[in-house]
Amino acid sequence: MKIYLVRHGETEWNKVGKLQGQCDVPLNEYGISLAEKTAQGLSDVAFDAAFSSPLSRAKETARIILGKRDIPLILDDRLKEIGFGVMEAADYITARQDTENPIHKFFRTPANYRPPEGGESFDQLYQRTAEFLKEKITSLEGKYETVLIAGHGAMNRSILNPLAGVPLEDFWRIPMPNCAVSTLLLENGKFTILEESKVYYEGAVRVRPWSERQE
């Protein structure tokens, strides 16, 4: 079984560098365009099942990709982005530069990150996404051939990194621009990565949340 793991399209907060976390920020016009181009790139994939974070930016990306396919979109809270608590909506470029900022280590030294009040740890993120895969995805092997999962930058990495052998201290190693699609294979209960962060559009995109340049 193949799993297509996609990050949501661009939002205005992506554009200006604000921490979204679990704030429900919708796609902007460009984000919708990216999702539409991704939908074109995946138009030949006959999805049998689809799951998404309930946050609108991921949910709308999934719906655009699914198009007229007659399958339900199943929402699961475990696919939400990592929560930043009281720091949500903060400027992440400032956080990246200021060593005293509560979010600084999230970007610079993830292994030393401790969440601010109301926020989630990396351990909590990894735990809930692993539970989702075990409960919702592994049981589909042998029943379905292709599954869509729509999520977020950190959340998607919490699925990919363990499969790629990426340690927490190198959490951001895998680039993941908006609408990047990673393809996984589930075979005999084991997940492997077939392709990382493929995009179906051209143009400059932000690959990492601390980057000052367009890549």
Side-chain angles (χ1 to χ4, degrees):
M1 187 174 76
K2 284 186 177 180
I3 299 100
Y4 292 80
L5 179 65
V6 59
R7 185 188 174 200
H8 62 79
E10 186 186 80
T11 70
E12 283 302 305
W13 284 24
N14 285 143
K15 189 175 179 180
V16 301
K18 292 175 69 173
L19 285 170
Q20 295 180 108
Q22 296 181 358
C23 291
D24 199 6
V25 186
L27 298 177
N28 61 17
E29 184 176 345
Y30 183 58
I32 292 171
S33 172
L34 295 184
E36 290 172 344
K37 291 176 181 177
T38 304
Q40 293 172 10
L42 298 175
S43 61
D44 292 335
V45 179
F47 290 112
D48 299 307
F51 298 85
S52 175
S53 159
L55 297 175
S56 60
R57 57 192 184 272
K59 183 169 59 176
E60 184 62 17
T61 298
R63 285 177 173 163
I64 291 171
I65 291 172
L66 290 176
K68 296 181 179 179
R69 295 176 181 85
D70 188 20
I71 60 172
L73 179 60
I74 301 169
L75 307 181
D76 196 302
D77 282 345
R78 291 171 293 187
L79 297 177
K80 285 183 177 180
E81 182 59 297
I82 190 170
F84 295 107
V86 296
M87 292 301 295
E88 296 204 348
D91 176 60
Y92 63 63
I93 296 176
T94 300
R96 175 182 62 80
Q97 295 170 338
D98 180 5
T99 58
E100 299 302 317
N101 191 292
I103 302 297
H104 179 80
K105 291 179 180 178
F106 176 78
F107 297 118
R108 294 296 196 182
T109 56
N112 298 320
Y113 174 65
R114 299 294 179 270
E117 180 184 349
E120 282 186 291
S121 68
F122 280 111
D123 283 346
Q124 290 172 312
L125 173 64
Y126 274 88
Q127 181 178 351
R128 63 175 164 89
T129 54
E131 288 176 353
F132 167 80
L133 290 178
K134 181 178 180 180
E135 293 180 14
K136 298 295 186 179
I137 304 301
T138 56
S139 62
L140 300 180
E141 185 181 4
K143 299 178 183 178
Y144 295 145
E145 293 184 2
T146 51
V147 175
L148 175 69
I149 300 175
H152 307 267
M155 191 286 291
N156 286 11
R157 287 181 175 92
S158 76
I159 292 175
L160 291 174
N161 285 351
L163 302 180
V166 177
L168 181 55
E169 56 263 29
D170 204 13
F171 183 82
W172 303 104
R173 180 192 299 177
I174 298 175
M176 194 176 295
N178 291 110
C179 278
V181 180
S182 297
T183 308
L184 313 179
L185 177 68
L186 176 60
E187 188 172 27
N188 298 322
K190 182 180 179 181
F191 291 94
T192 55
I193 300 174
L194 298 178
E195 188 170 34
E196 292 178 1
S197 295
K198 179 177 180 178
V199 295
Y200 293 89
Y201 56 89
E202 297 179 356
V205 292
R206 262 188 213 282
V207 174
R208 295 181 177 85
W210 64 86
S211 176
E212 290 182 337
R213 63 190 180 90
Q214 298 292 316
E215 299 181 350

